[in-house]
C-alpha cells in the first residue's frame, strides 16, 4: 500500500540504509507537536529493536531518551556528524530545525525526510 504513495525504489533504498547503518539520528522541528514527537519516538523504538544506536534530538523537555539540542549542542553535533543516517520527521523546510539545520545540512550522513506538509524542500537524499 505504501508503494502507491511512495515509490518502491525509495522504500528499498531506506530499507538498505537501515540494514547497513549502525548509528542513526532522528530530528524534528522546533516546538514539536504530537505528531512530531510520536513519529520520532515510534521510529526510535523500531530502530532500537533492531539493535541500532539511535538518538532523538529535539527542543523541549520531556521523554528521558530525547536529547535537547539547545542544551547539549556539542554532543548533539557530534552525534549528527557521526551518524550513518539522519531521519528528518514532520517538517518540510530545513530552517524549521533552527540552529540544528547547519549541523544536519553539513553532515555526511544519508538523509531521509518523512513528512505530510505541502511543498517539502529537497534537502534530503530521499523524501
Amino acid at each position: 500500500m505504501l508503494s502507491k504513495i511512495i515509490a518502491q525504489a525509495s522504500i528499498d533504498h531506506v530499507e538498505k540504509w537501515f540494514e547497513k547503518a549502525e548509528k542513526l539520528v532522528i530530528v524534528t522541528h522546533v516546538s514539536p507537536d504530537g505528531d512530531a514527537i510520536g513519529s520520532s519516538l515510534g521510529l526510535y523504538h523500531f530502530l532500537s529493536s533492531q539493535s541500532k544506536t539511535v538518538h532523538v534530538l529535539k527542543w523541549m523537555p520531556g521523554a528521558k531518551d530525547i536529547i535537547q539540542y539547545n542544551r547539549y549542542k556539542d554532543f548533539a553535533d557530534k552525534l549528527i556528524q557521526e551518524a550513518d543516517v539522519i531521519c528528518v520527521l514532520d517538517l518540510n523546510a530545513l530552517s524549521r530545525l533552527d540552529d540544528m539545520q547547519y549541523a544536519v545540512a553539513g553532515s555526511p550522513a544519508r538523509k531521509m525526510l518523512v513528512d505530510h506538509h505541502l511543498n517539502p524542500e529537497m534537502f534530503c537524499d530521499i523524501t
Side-chain angles (χ1 to χ4, degrees):
M1 180 141 167
L2 278 179
S3 62
K4 293 181 181 180
I5 299 169
I6 303 169
Q8 187 62 46
S10 293
I11 294 169
D12 295 342
H13 273 99
V14 169
E15 185 176 16
K16 287 178 186 171
W17 289 0
F18 284 168
E19 287 173 3
K20 293 179 181 178
E22 293 298 322
K23 300 175 186 176
L24 296 101
V25 171
I26 300 169
V27 299
T28 190
H29 57 80
V30 176
S31 300
D33 51 7
D35 56 338
I37 294 170
S39 60
S40 295
L41 291 177
L43 185 57
Y44 167 82
H45 288 295
F46 170 74
L47 293 169
S48 293
S49 75
Q50 307 298 308
S51 301
K52 305 294 184 180
T53 301
V54 185
H55 296 280
V56 181
L57 307 181
K58 76 172 193 82
W59 304 93
M60 63 187 215
K64 63 181 171 84
D65 293 323
I66 298 177
I67 299 163
Q68 295 178 51
Y69 182 81
N70 57 345
R71 191 166 183 195
Y72 303 103
K73 184 182 180 310
D74 291 340
F75 177 63
D77 284 344
K78 183 178 186 295
L79 294 174
I80 291 169
Q81 187 63 30
E82 294 177 352
D84 300 312
V85 174
I86 298 175
C87 305
V88 181
L89 305 180
D90 192 44
L91 59 98
N92 61 350
L94 192 58
S95 63
R96 293 195 65 199
L97 292 174
D98 202 24
D99 288 341
M100 193 192 314
Q101 70 180 302
Y102 307 109
V104 171
S107 173
R110 293 183 175 114
K111 299 168 190 80
M112 64 171 261
L113 171 65
V114 179
D115 183 51
H116 62 96
H117 297 95
L118 297 175
N119 306 314
E121 290 178 358
M122 296 300 171
F123 59 91
C124 290
D125 301 296
I126 293 181
T127 300

